[in-house]
């Protein structure tokens, strides 16, 4: 969800006419940029060439107008899901959503889980569902390996000294 938030922030703060991997390169890695573009196409916010559609300007709005614009996007993009839900409110059936995404959109289970989370997030943004109090799962930064350990530094110094001595001995033999 953090990547979707980042994408929405980008859409909210910039007036983009074309969105492609080079547009997203500063904010997303290659894989995430590809997923973001796929999401925008699914939501019908860009065409096959990456040209933005007028409806994308709904993210520039604020308050109730923004919520209504996002609602329109969500209802259109997920129309099959809304039709398939017995109550007409698929966001009220979280235990069924995974299977619904698999059967309606042909997703594999591995992909349906993040798709469900994205759908529920968009439902919150559209005012269909109360915003979740559960903190968003974030990726934890991997600890960086130390650049040089003491042993590595000592080894480099010894190698440098050997090279230096080797050069000195070569020059004395000339």
């Amino acid at each position: 969800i953090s990547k979707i938030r980042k994408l929405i922030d980008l859409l909210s703060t910039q007036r983009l006419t074309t969105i492609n991997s080079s547009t997203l390169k500063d904010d997303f890695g290659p894989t995430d940029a590809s997923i973001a573009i796929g999401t925008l196409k699914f939501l019908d916010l860009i065409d096959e060439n990456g040209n933005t559609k007028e409806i994308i300007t709904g993210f520039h709005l604020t308050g109730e107008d923004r919520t209504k614009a996002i609602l329109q996007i969500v209802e259109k993009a997920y129309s099959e899901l809304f039709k398939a839900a017995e109550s007409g409110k698929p966001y009220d059936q979280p235990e069924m959503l995974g299977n619904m995404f698999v059967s309606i959109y042909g997703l594999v289970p591995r992909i349906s889980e993040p798709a469900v989370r994205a759908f529920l997030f968009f439902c919150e943004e559209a005012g269909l569902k109360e915003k979740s109090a559960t903190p968003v799962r974030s990726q934890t930064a991997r600890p960086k390996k130390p650049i040089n350990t003491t042993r590595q530094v000592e080894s480099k110094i010894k190698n440098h000294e050997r090279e230096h001595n080797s050069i000195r001995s070569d020059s004395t033999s000339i």
Side-chain angles (χ1 to χ4, degrees):
I1 300 303
S2 63
K3 301 289 184 187
I4 292 176
R5 275 189 212 281
K6 186 187 263 190
L7 181 60
I8 288 179
D9 287 346
L10 181 71
L11 298 177
S12 301
T13 57
Q14 297 183 32
R15 190 168 300 275
L16 302 168
T17 55
T18 304
I19 300 175
N20 54 39
S21 55
S22 62
T23 310
L24 301 175
K25 72 179 176 184
D26 293 336
D27 298 292
F28 298 92
T31 301
D32 289 332
S34 177
I35 292 169
I37 290 168
T39 300
L40 294 173
K41 286 179 182 176
F42 175 80
L43 294 172
D44 202 30
L45 299 175
I46 62 173
D47 64 19
E48 289 301 314
N49 298 317
N51 298 312
T52 58
K53 296 187 176 183
E54 185 62 32
I55 193 139
I56 207 165
T57 60
F59 288 101
H60 296 149
L61 304 172
T62 59
E64 189 66 29
D65 290 338
R66 177 186 171 95
T67 302
K68 286 179 184 176
I70 295 172
L71 175 62
Q72 184 181 5
I73 293 166
V74 169
E75 287 179 334
K76 182 178 178 192
Y78 295 100
S79 63
E80 294 299 314
L81 192 61
F82 282 97
K83 286 178 199 170
E86 290 178 21
S87 66
K89 300 177 181 179
Y91 47 86
D92 283 344
Q93 303 167 329
E95 67 284 344
M96 307 273 298
L97 279 173
N99 288 336
M100 293 171 83
F101 271 85
V102 168
S103 63
I104 294 169
Y105 299 110
L107 300 179
V108 295
R110 182 179 63 81
I111 302 297
S112 69
E113 184 181 326
V116 166
R117 286 195 310 270
F119 169 70
L120 293 173
F121 172 77
F122 284 123
C123 285
E124 290 174 4
E125 293 294 305
L128 292 170
K129 179 180 180 332
E130 214 172 291
K131 296 219 180 215
S132 176
T134 310
V136 174
R137 189 180 83 182
S138 62
Q139 295 180 346
T140 56
R142 295 180 188 162
K144 292 183 178 179
K145 294 180 181 176
I147 295 172
N148 288 314
T149 63
T150 304
R151 186 175 290 166
Q152 288 171 321
V153 171
E154 289 171 352
S155 176
K156 286 182 181 182
I157 291 171
K158 285 180 183 177
N159 287 338
H160 179 71
E161 287 173 350
R162 270 190 234 125
E163 288 174 13
H164 186 66
N165 289 337
S166 161
I167 293 171
R168 213 185 273 167
S169 67
D170 286 347
S171 64
T172 56
S173 65
I174 296 179

